[in-house]
Each structure stands twice: as structure tokens, then as C-alpha cells.
């Protein structure tokens, strides 16, 4: 066994090795991810977003981005490793072969007289009688004496020439890489070793498990409290109007736990006066309504006023103490609203469908919070059945700006989009009074806005037609295009202080019954994941239908090309209802942009199941009847609206059937946006 001193010197090496085995690979992975991360600018370049400072890469911003918990931990571990290397290098003498000539300062083959002369010279320096230093004594005994003996004593010289050491053959030495005080199993050192073993092997895993379980018992995978989900589920109703979604949203447990300080009273009173018109108070009984508002739970009052401060862009008037609460509220809002959408579309008995109306209301609230547009801007006004919310998200736009361009017969957002760049420039500079820079900012934002088209197919795999009780598969291709050529991009959000990605919700619903049959969230930022998901789904579908390998590969290649061109595949399954014809609508709702929502209408015909368990045929009334296709009449009015928003116009809601092709529920939608299909053109 090695000596205790050698064991003590091995302990830093052991610690360094264990740390390097985990730190080095993890650091390489983090660096590779940082290098391969896309550096292409995908955020808005308008002056409003530039002034917000959200994307400004200043030194402080870079330091704050780097100063994450994981990065600081890695840096600390590397500092410890460097210190260990320095300690090992300066405290452990490197093992070298025994060289007596070198120790005595002689060249190989020196004579006996030269050896004796060198020995006497070194004895004067290191002999214990001449030098009382213990280190000198140790060096004299272990090196100088052995070197002189190896070169003068016949036996020692023979051992040196034969084995390389004057003491003869040296055996293999093994040791335990632990500090010396832990190897002395007497009293306190033994207790320290026992405590270390218990702490590392038992207490540490137990503490980690307790922390993990306590956190997982309180939060979901999306870092939303379970209590919040329970509250949302309790207050979610099928007829929940968009104007009432706010009341449910602010009841989140995360918001209720935020403290209400006495110093907040006066700033909240001032904020109440500024946003009072947005609180849906009855003006006829304004005093009673105000008293009722302030009698609510203080946290609810505070949260509603802070949300309204974002919607009305009154955050600049907030006190310093409220600013931190305001930012925390906005930081939590996206994931809380996402969970609220999931609660709205959650399948419920007896038919297992979600609710359409509250889901649309939640997405509308998300759009308004991200773009800082008041909910009242969605109400019809001035001959515009859509409201002016979509206009207010553009830079430098206000209600007065809209009135100016409305005089030039531009009353809907779609009309503004359909204009050429030159026509818009002349409209904004001449009618609205914008500068060249302001008109350029508007053009930049319009180029960033996504344009969505849908291709939806509903069919029963391997069967012709859809019969009641069948498991129907919905295939939906969501096609996204932008005028600037990007696919994934961060939206224009100058009033939202955090990074916000675009998320789209695909809802297959029956607007007549307020039921959501299929729902799924879609994101266009991760192309690699979309390629993998689409190719896997197409491959499994084709293989299930018995397609050849060549056909499967061809279909997969087409799907990959489609994904790379800016499309995403969404698949969902639902059980076919009873016999009949169903007017369905596919919605694609964006949670960040106002005016980019898309929908398409189509019908599916469900046939009656045969008593023998085989598929019966409908009496032939033409090709459409044979294939379960239900023809729809041409929609004469572009104001067909499948869902009714609280802030949309209630006038002219006559619905006429749309002429579309729906074989097995097949329909294609090209450019049917909510702006053109959600309101009547004048």
C-alpha cells in the first residue's frame, strides 16, 4: 500500500477527475448549441421595437443573458478545476526514474573521486549537522545518500544497474485517494468519514427528492401552479364571453399571491381613473359600480388594473413599486393564457368536445396583451365592423390616424394589406401625415405579419366515406408566408418587454354547437422538429394503408419539402358523431398578432352504419352522394362569420352556405383570413 502522504496527494487528482468527467462534456454540449444557434435576425426592425431596447445587445444585456444559474455554475466549476490543477502542479513532485548521477550533479561515467567530491560538497549543504532544516535532512537521506550508495556500494550499484533503484525491485503501490485525516480511523476522523458517507449517499439524494416532489406537487410541467388550473377549470363556462375572460385570467394563484402594499393604494387610484372607461362599468350607476369594483379582493383589483395598464399603454405612469409587479404579471401572462386555452378546449362529457367561444376569447385577450391594444378597440365603429384593434398594433397608429385613412375609403385592415407598397406610402404620408420614416416602419411591420392558409382533410383511414362511430383522422396543413420571406420570426411587440414567440392554435370546431372537436398548438420556430414529426406521421399513415416503400418515401419527401417551404402538419383524431351532415370550421388563431387569424368552412357527411357491420351505400343522387360529399352553395356575402366575438358587430349576421368541395370532408382554403371572412364588406 502507498503511504498516507501519497494517498493525500492523490485526493485532489481524484476530485479533479470526477469533476472533469461531467463538466467537460456538458460544457462542450452548451458551446455546440450556442455555435449552431441561428444568428439570422428574426425580430422586428422598426423604430418602436428598437427604442424598446428588448433586442439591444448591450454589454449589460449580454452579461444578464450570460448570468444564468447554469452558466454561473459551469463557470464556478471550471474555476475550481483550474485551482485544483494549480494545486496539484505545485504540491506534487512529478515521478521520475532514479538518476544518481543527476542527483549528485555529475555526468554519466564520472570517476570515483569525482563522485566522492560531489558527495562531500552536497553534504556540506544538506547534512543534518550542517543544515537543521527538516526538508534538507529528508532530501539528504532519500536522495543524496542513496545516490552515493548506488554509485559506491557494489550491491547497491548492481541493483541500480539491474532494476533502476539501489534498493532493488520496487513493487506496485496502490492507495486510496482520500485526505490523510480521513484515513486515520480514530475518534473524530472516523465520525467525519461516517457523516460524509451518510450526507452524500443518503441525505443529499433525499433533500433533492423532497425539493423535486414539493415543486412538482405545486407546479405543472409548464411552470403553472396546480391551484391555478383548478381555478381556471372551475370558472370556465361554455358561454364565457370574451369580455369576461379577463375576470377568469386574473384569478390565477400566481397573481393572487402577489403582495398588495399600502403604498400601492394611491398609484392604483390614479390608474383606475386612467383606465376606468375600459372596466365595463355601468355609467348609469357609476358610483355603485366603482364601490363594487373596489370591494373585490385587493389582489384581483391590482391585477385587473395592471392588465388594463398594459392594454391602454399607461405603464409609464406606474410607480416604481408597481413596475416590478407589472413586469412580473406580463412575464407570467403567456403561459397562463396558454393553460387557459387548454382548459377551454379540454374534452368534456358527454360528447368529449371542448368549448369554442371561450377559447377564442382567451386568444383575443392574449393578442391584446401582447400588442397592448384595448379590448374596446375590437368593437365595431365608424362603418368598420372589425374595430380598429388591428390598426393600433402598427407603429405610429392611433384612433385619429384611422379616422384620417378612413376618409380615403380604407376602413378594414385587409384593405390596407391589399394595397401596394406605393399606394400605402402615399396614403400614410399624405392622408395620415406620416413621415417617410414612419411609413417605412409600418411597411416593415406589415412585412413581418404572417399570412396563413389552411388545407384540411378529414377521412377514415383505409375506408371510403365516414360512418357513425368511425375514428376519423384530420390532416391539416398550415401554410405560413411573410412578405419578407421568413418563416419563423418574433412578432412586433414594442410594448411587451419580453421575448414572445408566435404560437398558433388550430381548432376544428362546430360553431353552431360551440364545440371544439380537435385542438393543437403549432409553432413555426423549430423546423427540424416539424420535419421529423411530419415525416413520421406521413410514413406511419402510408404504411398503415399498405403503400409500397417507393410510395412511402415519395410521400415523405413531399412532406419534408412542404415543411421547409413554411408549412406545418397537424394531425388529430375524433370519433364520428351520429348520422348527418355537419357544418364544421377550421380556425387558425395567432396568440400574438391581431388580424392574422384564418378560418375555413366545410361540411362532412356521416353515413349510417350498416347492421351487418359493413359499410352501406347511400342511394345514388350523384357523385357527391356516393362519396359522402356534401356540396355547399356559393357564399354570396364575404361577411360570413362562423364565430361571434364580444367585440364584433352584431349586424348583418345572415349566414349563407359556402360553395366548397368536401370529399370525405376535404376542403381547401386559400387566403380566407378573419379580416375578409369575419366581417361584411361595404
Amino acid at each position: 500500500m502507498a503511504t498516507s502522504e501519497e494517498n493525500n496527494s492523490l485526493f485532489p487528482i481524484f476530485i479533479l477527475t470526477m469533476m472533469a468527467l461531467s463538466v467537460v462534456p456538458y460544457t462542450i454540449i452548451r458551446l455546440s448549441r450556442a455555435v449552431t444557434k441561428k444568428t439570422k435576425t428574426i425580430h422586428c426592425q422598426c423604430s418602436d421595437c428598437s427604442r424598446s431596447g428588448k433586442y439591444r445587445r448591450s454589454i449589460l444585456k449580454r452579461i444578464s443573458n450570460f448570468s444564468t444559474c447554469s452558466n454561473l455554475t459551469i463557470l464556478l466549476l471550471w474555476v475550481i478545476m483550474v485551482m485544483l490543477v494549480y494545486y496539484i502542479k505545485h504540491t506534487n513532485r512529478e515521478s521520475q526514474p532514479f538518476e544518481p548521477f543527476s542527483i549528485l550533479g555529475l555526468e554519466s561515467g564520472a570517476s570515483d573521486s569525482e563522485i566522492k567530491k560531489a558527495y562531500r560538497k552536497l553534504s556540506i549543504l544538506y547534512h543534518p549537522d550542517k543544515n537543521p532544516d527538516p526538508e534538507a535532512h529528508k532530501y539528504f537521506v532519500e536522495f543524496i545518500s542513496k545516490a552515493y550508495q548506488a554509485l559506491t556500494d557494489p550491491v547497491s550499484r548492481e541493483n541500480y544497474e539491474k532494476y533502476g533503484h539501489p534498493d532493488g525491485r520496487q513493487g506496485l503501490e496502490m492507495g486510496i485517494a482520500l485526505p490523510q485525516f480521513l484515513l486515520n480511523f480514530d475518534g473524530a476522523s472516523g465520525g467525519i468519514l461516517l457523516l460524509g458517507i451518510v450526507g452524500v449517499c443518503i441525505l443529499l439524494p433525499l433533500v433533492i427528492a423532497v425539493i423535486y416532489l414539493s415543486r412538482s406537487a405545486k407546479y405543472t410541467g409548464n411552470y403553472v401552479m396546480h391551484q391555478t388550473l383548478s381555478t381556471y377549470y372551475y370558472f370556465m363556462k361554455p358561454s364565457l364571453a370574451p369580455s369576461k375572460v379577463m375576470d377568469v385570467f386574473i384569478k390565477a394563484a400566481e397573481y393572487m399571491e402577489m403582495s398588495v402594499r399600502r403604498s400601492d393604494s394611491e398609484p392604483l387610484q390614479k390608474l383606475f381613473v386612467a383606465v376606468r372607461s375600459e372596466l365595463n362599468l355601468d355609467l348609469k350607476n357609476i358610483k355603485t359600480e366603482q364601490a363594487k369594483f373596489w370591494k373585490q379582493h385587493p389582489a384581483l383589483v391590482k391585477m385587473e388594473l395592471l392588465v388594463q395598464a398594459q392594454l391602454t399603454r399607461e405603464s409609464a405612469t406606474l410607480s416604481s413599486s408597481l413596475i416590478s409587479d407589472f413586469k412580473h404579471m406580463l412575464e407570467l401572462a403567456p403561459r397562463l393564457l396558454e393553460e387557459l386555452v387548454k382548459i377551454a378546449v379540454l374534452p368534456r362529457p358527454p360528447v368529449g368536445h371542448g368549448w369554442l367561444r371561450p377559447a377564442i376569447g382567451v386568444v383575443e385577450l392574449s393578442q391584446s396583451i401582447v400588442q397592448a391594444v384595448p379590448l374596446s378597440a375590437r368593437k365595431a365603429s365608424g362603418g368598420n365592423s372589425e374595430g380598429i384593434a388591428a390598426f393600433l398594433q402598427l407603429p405610429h397608429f392611433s384612433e385619429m390616424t384611422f379616422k384620417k385613412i378612413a376618409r380615403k375609403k380604407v376602413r378594414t385592415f385587409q384593405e390596407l394589406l391589399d394595397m401596394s407598397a406605393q399606394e400605402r406610402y402615399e396614403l400614410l404620408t399624405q392622408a395620415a401625415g406620416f413621415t417617410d420614416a414612419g411609413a417605412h416602419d409600418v411597411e416593415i411591420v406589415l412585412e413581418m405579419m404572417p399570412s396563413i392558409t389552411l388545407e384540411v382533410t378529414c377521412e377514415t383511414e383505409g375506408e371510403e366515406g365516414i360512418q357513425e362511430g368511425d375514428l376519423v383522422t384530420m390532416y391539416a396543413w398550415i401554410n405560413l408566408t411573410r412578405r419578407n420571406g421568413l418563416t419563423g420570426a418574433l412578432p412586433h411587440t414594442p410594448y411587451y418587454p419580453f421575448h414572445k414567440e408566435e404560437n398558433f392554435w388550430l381548432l376544428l370546431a362546430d360553431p353552431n354547437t360551440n364545440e371544439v372537436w380537435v385542438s393543437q398548438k403549432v409553432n413555426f420556430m423549430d423546423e427540424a422538429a416539424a420535419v421529423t414529426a411530419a415525416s413520421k406521421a406521413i410514413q406511419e399513415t402510408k404504411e398503415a394503408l399498405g403503400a409500397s416503400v417507393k410510395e412511402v418515401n415519395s410521400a415523405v419527401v413531399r412532406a419534408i419539402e412542404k415543411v421547409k417551404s413554411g408549412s406545418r402538419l397537424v394531425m388529430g383524431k375524433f370519433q364520428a358523431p351520429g348520422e348527418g351532415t355537419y357544418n364544421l370550421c377550421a380556425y387558425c388563431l395567432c396568440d400574438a398578432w391581431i388580424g392574422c387569424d384564418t378560418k375555413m368552412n366545410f361540411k362532412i357527411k356521416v353515413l349510417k352504419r350498416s347492421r351487418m357491420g359493413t359499410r352501406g351505400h347511400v342511394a345514388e343522387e350523384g357523385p357527391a352522394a356516393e362519396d359522402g360529399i356534401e356540396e355547399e352553395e356559393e357564399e354570396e356575402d364575404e361577411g360570413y362569420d362562423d364565430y361571434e366575438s364580444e367585440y364584433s358587430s352584431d349586424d348583418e349576421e345572415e349566414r349563407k352556405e359556402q360553395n366548397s368541395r368536401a370529399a370525405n370532408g376535404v376542403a381547401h382554403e386559400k387566403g380566407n383570413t378573419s379580416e375578409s371572412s369575419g366581417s361584411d364588406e361595404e
Side-chain angles (χ1 to χ4, degrees):
M1 292 290 289
T3 63
S4 61
E5 294 181 358
E6 292 173 339
N7 290 332
N8 188 47
S9 65
L10 291 176
F11 180 68
I13 300 176
F14 172 75
I15 295 298
L16 178 64
T17 304
M18 293 295 101
M19 292 178 63
L21 287 176
S22 58
V23 174
V24 173
Y26 184 70
T27 304
I28 293 174
I29 293 174
R30 292 294 298 270
L31 291 177
S32 62
R33 289 178 180 176
V35 171
T36 57
K37 193 174 182 179
K38 291 184 178 180
T39 58
K40 187 175 181 180
T41 301
I42 58 173
H43 60 78
C44 182
Q45 300 290 327
C46 73
S47 60
D48 284 355
C49 289
S50 300
R51 281 196 301 269
S52 68
K54 184 165 46 176
Y55 308 112
R56 191 178 302 146
R57 300 184 63 82
S58 62
I59 296 177
L60 294 178
K61 189 76 172 180
R62 294 180 182 182
I63 292 176
S64 62
N65 291 337
F66 174 79
S67 302
T68 61
C69 182
S70 58
N71 289 342
L72 293 178
T73 302
I74 293 175
L75 181 62
L76 177 62
L77 292 176
W78 273 106
V79 171
I80 294 174
M81 290 173 60
V82 170
M83 294 175 62
L84 286 174
V85 171
Y86 180 83
Y87 175 79
I88 293 170
K89 181 179 179 180
H90 288 79
T91 56
N92 295 320
R93 190 176 288 108
E94 185 179 359
S95 298
Q96 297 178 352
F98 185 74
E99 295 288 349
F101 289 105
S102 178
I103 294 172
L104 297 177
L106 301 172
E107 294 183 358
S108 180
S111 62
D112 291 344
S113 61
E114 292 176 336
I115 293 172
K116 292 179 181 179
K117 184 178 179 180
Y119 176 71
R120 293 192 196 99
K121 185 177 181 180
L122 292 174
S123 298
I124 295 174
L125 297 175
Y126 293 100
H127 195 277
D129 295 339
K130 304 293 184 181
N131 190 341
D133 187 3
E135 292 294 329
H137 180 209
K138 180 179 179 181
Y139 182 72
F140 180 81
V141 173
E142 294 184 359
F143 291 92
I144 297 175
S145 297
K146 285 187 178 182
Y148 178 74
Q149 185 181 10
L151 297 178
T152 56
D153 184 72
V155 177
S156 298
R157 184 151 193 163
E158 182 182 359
N159 288 334
Y160 168 70
E161 294 175 351
K162 199 171 184 178
Y163 303 109
H165 200 278
D167 295 336
R169 185 190 298 274
Q170 300 295 303
L172 177 65
E173 294 184 352
M174 300 180 65
I176 302 174
L178 289 176
Q180 183 176 358
F181 72 91
L182 289 180
L183 298 177
N184 299 327
F185 295 99
D186 55 342
S189 61
I192 293 174
L193 180 61
L194 179 61
L195 290 176
I197 295 174
V198 172
V200 174
C201 299
I202 300 177
L203 295 182
L204 181 61
L206 184 61
V207 170
I208 294 174
V210 169
I211 294 175
Y212 173 77
L213 292 176
S214 62
R215 184 171 181 82
S216 61
K218 188 176 182 180
Y219 291 92
T220 65
N222 199 22
Y223 299 103
V224 175
M225 297 176 65
H226 288 289
Q227 184 180 350
T228 298
L229 298 186
S230 301
T231 303
Y232 283 173
Y233 186 85
Y234 177 79
F235 286 100
M236 182 62 64
K237 305 298 178 184
S239 59
L240 187 67
S243 60
K244 301 298 182 183
V245 171
M246 171 88 72
D247 299 336
V248 179
F249 167 65
I250 62 176
K251 287 182 171 66
E254 289 85 346
Y255 291 160
M256 299 298 291
E257 289 182 351
M258 293 178 66
S259 61
V260 181
R261 299 172 290 271
R262 290 185 178 180
S263 59
D264 296 338
S265 179
E266 184 177 351
L268 290 177
Q269 289 281 357
K270 294 180 179 179
L271 182 59
F272 173 80
V273 175
V275 303
R276 181 168 49 188
S277 60
E278 296 291 330
L279 295 176
N280 295 324
L281 301 179
D282 187 3
L283 298 179
K284 296 179 180 179
N285 302 310
I286 188 63
K287 293 185 178 180
T288 305
E289 291 288 319
Q290 289 183 11
K292 183 178 179 182
F293 176 82
W294 288 104
K295 284 181 180 179
Q296 298 181 97
H297 192 284
L300 293 178
V301 173
K302 181 177 181 178
M303 283 302 106
E304 184 168 0
L305 291 177
L306 291 180
V307 174
Q308 291 295 348
Q310 169 68 5
L311 298 179
T312 56
R313 303 179 184 179
E314 294 286 345
S315 59
T317 62
L318 297 178
S319 63
S320 57
S321 59
L322 285 178
I323 284 292
S324 59
D325 295 335
F326 174 74
K327 290 184 176 180
H328 184 56
M329 178 274 296
L330 291 180
E331 186 178 12
L332 296 176
R335 57 175 177 261
L336 293 177
L337 289 167
E338 179 181 335
E339 294 300 324
L340 195 53
V341 174
K342 293 179 181 178
I343 294 293
V345 300
L346 186 68
R348 291 172 171 81
V351 293
H353 294 160
W355 297 328
L356 175 63
R357 183 174 174 82
I360 293 175
V362 176
V363 176
E364 287 182 352
L365 178 60
S366 175
Q367 295 171 354
S368 297
I369 290 177
V370 172
Q371 294 295 341
V373 174
L375 296 176
S376 60
R378 294 181 178 270
K379 295 180 180 179
S381 62
N384 182 4
S385 59
E386 302 175 353
I388 63 172
F391 290 95
L392 295 181
Q393 70 185 335
L394 299 178
H396 317 300
F397 259 78
S398 63
E399 186 175 354
M400 184 57 66
T401 306
F402 171 75
K403 291 179 179 180
K404 291 179 180 179
I405 65 173
R407 298 191 188 107
K408 299 297 182 180
K409 306 301 182 183
V410 180
R411 295 186 177 90
T412 65
F413 193 68
Q414 189 62 41
E415 291 175 353
L416 183 67
L417 291 174
D418 292 340
M419 299 175 68
S420 65
Q422 183 62 30
E423 291 173 341
R424 272 195 301 270
Y425 173 79
E426 294 176 355
L427 174 70
L428 295 176
T429 55
Q430 297 176 10
F434 280 21
T435 62
D436 291 347
H440 181 63
D441 286 341
V442 173
E443 200 63 32
I444 290 175
V445 174
L446 293 179
E447 289 179 353
M448 289 287 293
M449 293 189 69
S451 176
I452 301 294
T453 58
L454 297 176
E455 301 174 21
V456 181
T457 302
C458 296
E459 60 183 24
T460 304
E461 295 182 2
E463 301 289 349
E464 294 182 359
I466 300 175
Q467 292 191 6
E468 54 187 6
D470 283 349
L471 186 62
V472 183
T473 304
M474 179 202 70
Y475 301 90
W477 280 102
I478 305 177
N479 310 310
L480 182 146
T481 57
R482 302 179 203 269
R483 299 183 184 184
N484 58 11
L486 294 174
T487 298
L490 299 178
H492 164 79
T493 56
Y495 297 97
Y496 188 77
F498 304 100
H499 287 253
K500 176 69 176 72
E501 293 185 359
E502 299 171 342
N503 292 311
F504 297 85
W505 286 93
L506 181 72
L507 307 177
L508 179 65
D510 185 348
N512 296 321
T513 60
N514 191 37
E515 294 178 345
V516 176
W517 294 16
V518 179
S519 63
Q520 186 168 332
K521 189 180 78 167
V522 184
N523 188 284
F524 283 81
M525 296 297 289
D526 193 348
E527 183 180 285
V531 168
T532 302
S535 57
K536 182 179 179 181
I538 295 297
Q539 181 179 359
E540 292 177 351
T541 301
K542 292 295 182 181
E543 290 177 350
L545 295 175
S548 62
V549 176
K550 184 177 181 180
E551 293 174 341
V552 172
N553 294 336
S554 177
V556 170
V557 169
R558 289 195 300 270
I560 293 175
E561 292 176 351
K562 205 165 185 178
V563 170
K564 291 183 177 180
S565 65
S567 299
R568 296 293 183 266
L569 176 62
V570 177
M571 292 180 58
K573 296 182 181 294
F574 61 92
Q575 188 174 15
E579 179 186 9
T581 301
Y582 295 86
N583 299 313
L584 301 182
C585 186
Y587 298 85
C588 185
L589 310 176
C590 180
D591 68 348
W593 292 97
I594 302 175
C596 293
D597 299 339
T598 305
K599 65 178 180 180
M600 56 168 294
N601 307 287
F602 64 96
K603 290 184 178 182
I604 63 170
K605 186 172 184 179
V606 181
L607 307 178
K608 186 176 182 180
R609 180 170 294 278
S610 172
R611 294 182 180 179
M612 300 301 295
T614 60
R615 297 191 172 276
H617 295 277
V618 184
E620 296 187 2
E621 296 180 2
E626 293 178 354
D627 295 333
I629 301 176
E630 185 69 18
E631 294 291 334
E632 299 185 24
E633 297 178 358
E634 179 71 17
E635 181 185 6
E636 299 176 357
D637 188 354
E638 291 184 4
Y640 182 92
D641 192 358
D642 283 300
Y643 67 92
E644 178 186 351
S645 170
E646 181 75 10
Y647 312 103
S648 302
S649 175
D650 294 330
D651 299 333
E652 299 180 12
E653 292 185 348
E654 295 182 357
R655 300 181 178 180
K656 298 184 180 180
E657 297 180 343
Q658 181 184 11
N659 183 18
S660 62
R661 221 174 134 264
N664 287 335
V666 179
H668 297 277
E669 167 72 1
K670 300 295 185 181
N672 177 24
T673 62
S674 63
E675 291 76 34
S676 61
S677 64
S679 64
D680 297 336
E681 292 187 357
E682 289 193 9

